[in-house]
Amino acid sequence: MELVLVLVVLGGLVAVAVSAGKTGKKRELAKAEAAVAPVKRLAEEDVTALGVELQDLDIDLAGEQLDPGANADYQRALDAYESAKTAAAALTRPDDVRHVTEILEDGRYAMACVRARVAGEPLPQRRPPCFFDPRHGMSVADVPWVPPGGAQRDVPACALDAERVRAGAEPDIRKVMVGSRRVPYWQGGRAYQPYAQGYFGNFGPMEWMFMGMLFSGGFDGLGDGIGALGEGLGDMFGGIGDGIGDLFDGFDF
């Protein structure tokens, strides 16, 4: 009788573990999908923006005879658009968005080279995109800017945003939804860090974006970390509880 009881208990523990594992996997999958959704949407918007810019370039080049260099850069821009579109559609993790924005940055530089060649100008120096909104294209200058609650830093800006900052006006900042709030993308949490790394990771002076508190969100980032820890513990105990509940569902009391 004792042996039977021991076997029943062991079987119950195995059932609890299996059930908890299945529940945990489902929750992890749901979390992964929820984490990648806003980043994927952001990447797709950026790909669409590059497509619109390519259409504008087509209009500007109508009737122009492209030399081999301009033609090669133009094809490079087209390839970047197609590659970025494919990569954005295949996103499964927030970290993967870095590949998308790397491609977009290269595509925009190729477009700038096309315009320079057609105008008979030297190829442009490769600079990081506009910090405030990478869709603005390559920056033209570094301007001193103070993020809310932070220290002054020199950031790359497009011509319009550089003018706004120097005049003391608000730059045109790319914002994302976090809960019910719209915040600058660099305050969206660590999920958006790879998005920025793809655009700026090849430019050494931009390392402060990733080394400092900008993407950690300061105390907001600390709160996010504590919240994530709490959610993890909740999932663990919730999974065990679900497993125990499933175990006793078959008994009548």
Side-chain angles (χ1 to χ4, degrees):
M1 184 66 181
E2 291 181 356
L3 178 59
V4 173
L5 182 60
V6 169
L7 292 174
V8 169
V9 171
L10 288 175
L13 291 175
V14 170
V16 168
V18 171
S19 180
K22 289 180 179 179
T23 302
K25 287 181 180 178
K26 288 180 181 178
R27 290 182 177 176
E28 284 300 319
L29 181 60
K31 272 189 179 181
E33 290 175 351
V36 78
V39 178
K40 184 173 184 177
R41 183 165 57 249
L42 195 72
E44 290 173 341
E45 290 174 357
D46 283 22
V47 172
T48 299
L50 182 64
V52 171
E53 291 171 39
L54 279 169
Q55 291 177 352
D56 292 340
L57 181 62
D58 283 341
I59 294 172
D60 293 342
L61 295 179
E64 292 281 354
Q65 186 67 36
L66 300 183
D67 63 27
N71 191 63
D73 285 328
Y74 180 66
Q75 187 60 51
R76 179 177 166 188
L78 291 176
D79 291 344
Y81 170 69
E82 293 298 331
S83 297
K85 185 164 60 173
T86 300
L91 281 177
T92 58
R93 303 178 305 154
D95 285 354
D96 295 338
V97 74
R98 177 173 184 170
H99 304 303
V100 179
T101 51
E102 282 177 345
I103 297 169
L104 293 173
E105 188 274 327
D106 186 66
R108 284 197 171 90
Y109 178 69
M111 290 173 61
C113 289
V114 173
R115 292 187 181 279
R117 290 182 189 275
V118 170
E121 299 172 352
L123 294 182
Q125 176 189 1
R126 190 157 189 166
R127 287 184 50 85
C130 177
F131 167 73
F132 301 107
D133 187 340
R135 294 175 302 176
H136 294 168
M138 274 203 311
S139 59
V140 299
D142 293 339
V143 294
W145 178 72
V146 182
Q152 178 175 297
R153 304 178 187 275
D154 287 338
V155 298
C158 64
L160 290 177
D161 279 330
E163 183 181 2
R164 292 186 183 104
V165 171
R166 288 166 179 155
E170 181 75 11
D172 182 15
I173 295 174
R174 182 74 188 278
K175 295 188 177 181
V176 297
M177 291 299 298
V178 176
S180 59
R181 297 184 304 153
R182 290 183 74 245
V183 300
Y185 70 92
W186 59 81
Q187 291 180 1
R190 291 194 181 276
Y192 292 94
Q193 185 170 339
Y195 168 84
Q197 284 178 321
Y199 277 127
F200 303 104
N202 292 326
F203 301 94
M206 296 301 295
E207 288 178 0
W208 60 267
M209 290 178 60
F210 319 113
M211 301 288 288
M213 297 292 287
L214 198 58
F215 273 88
S216 67
F219 289 108
D220 289 341
L222 178 62
D224 290 342
I226 293 174
L229 176 61
E231 288 177 6
L233 291 173
D235 287 345
M236 180 180 73
F237 288 111
I240 293 174
D242 290 342
I244 293 173
D246 292 341
L247 172 64
F248 287 102
D249 280 345
F251 294 90
D252 293 326
F253 295 98

